[in-house]
């Protein structure tokens, strides 16, 4: 099994639906975005235009974050995803430095909240933030809890532009396999040699 995601940049219009869906599904702390879409202006007036770049953990086959982790908290699983075991993470943040995609986040111990005027977490935050152990690093899991229920990642399920596709590259009948053969999508920053599991159709 080789889980992978294909992002079709031709269909993405930076609505940030993926960002919101990820926030809801994973209850990530303020300032933490496991997926997001950058908007970049290209060209010059009068021929300027916007280009959109959706970003997410690349679940690399040759993952620098895994190689540098001193406790082996970051690991490559048999399904091809890269995951972090919070109980083994010492919060050294070496993996954050090693990741060329900026896809890892440190969970500080200052009890982050969206309600800055009160300085207190809401009941929802207090309940869900327990999923993010303080003084550890975490990242996109390709929505492991959803996959356990037979669902696709939240960002894929929510994308109104149908710009995200997820599946098993080892299954020739999967949508990602068919798209791979049809469009030959490319990874982001291939020069890094990380062999990502996230690919882009330009």
């Amino acid at each position: 099994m080789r889980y992978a995601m294909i992002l079709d940049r031709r269909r993405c219009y930076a609505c940030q639906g993926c960002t919101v869906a990820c926030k809801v599904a994973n209850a990530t702390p303020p300032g933490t975005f496991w997926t997001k879409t950058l908007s970049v202006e290209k060209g010059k007036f009068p021929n300027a235009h916007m280009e959109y770049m959706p970003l997410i953990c690349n679940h690399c086959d040759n993952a620098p974050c895994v190689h540098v982790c001193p406790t082996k908290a970051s690991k490559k699983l048999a399904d091809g995803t890269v995951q972090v075991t919070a109980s083994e993470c010492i919060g050294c943040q070496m993996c954050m430095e090693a990741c060329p995609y900026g896809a890892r986040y440190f969970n500080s111990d200052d009890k982050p909240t969206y309600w800055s005027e009160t300085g207190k977490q809401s009941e929802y935050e207090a309940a869900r933030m327990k999923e993010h152990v303080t003084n550890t690093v975490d990242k996109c899991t390709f929505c492991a809890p959803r996959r356990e229920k037979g669902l696709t990642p939240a960002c894929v399920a929510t994308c109104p532009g149908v710009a995200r596709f997820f599946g098993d590259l080892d299954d020739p009948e999967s949508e990602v396999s068919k798209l791979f053969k049809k469009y030959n999508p490319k990874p982001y920053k291939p020069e890094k040699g990380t062999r990502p599991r996230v690919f882009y159709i330009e």
Side-chain angles (χ1 to χ4, degrees):
M1 179 177 289
R2 290 188 299 152
Y3 280 130
M5 186 178 291
I6 292 179
L7 305 174
D8 190 341
R9 293 184 64 189
R10 304 170 305 170
R11 302 179 65 92
C12 176
Y13 47 89
C15 71
Q16 303 296 346
C18 56
T19 305
V20 175
C22 179
K23 277 284 183 186
V24 172
N26 299 291
T28 56
T32 294
F33 298 94
W34 286 0
T35 187
K36 57 192 172 186
T37 302
L38 304 183
S39 298
V40 182
E41 184 175 345
K42 295 287 187 177
K44 296 182 179 180
F45 178 83
N47 298 312
H49 67 281
M50 298 300 294
E51 290 187 1
Y52 309 116
M53 184 63 180
L55 299 173
I56 194 169
C57 171
N58 281 254
H59 294 271
C60 308
D61 282 341
N62 184 31
C65 57
V66 172
H67 300 323
V68 302
C69 181
T71 65
K72 308 302 180 186
S74 292
K75 57 202 70 176
K76 184 78 173 177
L77 302 188
D79 62 9
T81 66
V82 173
Q83 305 293 347
V84 181
T85 302
S87 61
E88 299 174 1
C89 178
I90 59 175
C92 68
Q93 304 180 49
M94 289 178 64
C95 58
M96 295 176 63
E97 293 294 328
C99 176
Y101 307 105
R104 289 182 164 237
Y105 297 85
F106 183 69
N107 297 316
S108 64
D109 59 0
D110 59 357
K111 295 183 174 58
T113 177
Y114 286 101
W115 306 99
S116 58
E117 64 271 18
T118 65
K120 297 180 180 180
Q121 291 181 327
S122 66
E123 291 184 12
Y124 173 79
E125 286 177 315
R128 294 296 306 271
M129 290 302 181
K130 294 178 182 178
E131 300 170 24
H132 304 280
V133 181
T134 56
N135 295 315
T136 64
V137 173
D138 65 12
K139 55 176 272 307
C140 160
T141 65
F142 269 170
C143 275
R146 287 178 57 87
R147 288 189 284 110
E148 291 174 359
K149 299 176 182 178
L151 302 173
T152 59
C155 61
V156 176
T158 303
C159 181
V162 194
R164 291 178 176 238
F165 306 88
F166 180 81
D168 182 6
L169 282 177
D170 282 340
D171 177 5
E173 296 304 314
S174 70
E175 192 168 23
V176 290
S177 290
K178 293 177 180 178
L179 288 171
F180 209 94
K181 291 178 181 177
K182 183 176 181 179
Y183 293 106
N184 190 29
K186 305 298 182 185
Y188 182 42
K189 297 184 178 181
E191 70 278 5
K192 298 296 182 179
T194 59
R195 302 201 306 273
R197 289 288 182 88
V198 174
F199 303 90
Y200 294 83
I201 299 174
E202 301 292 337

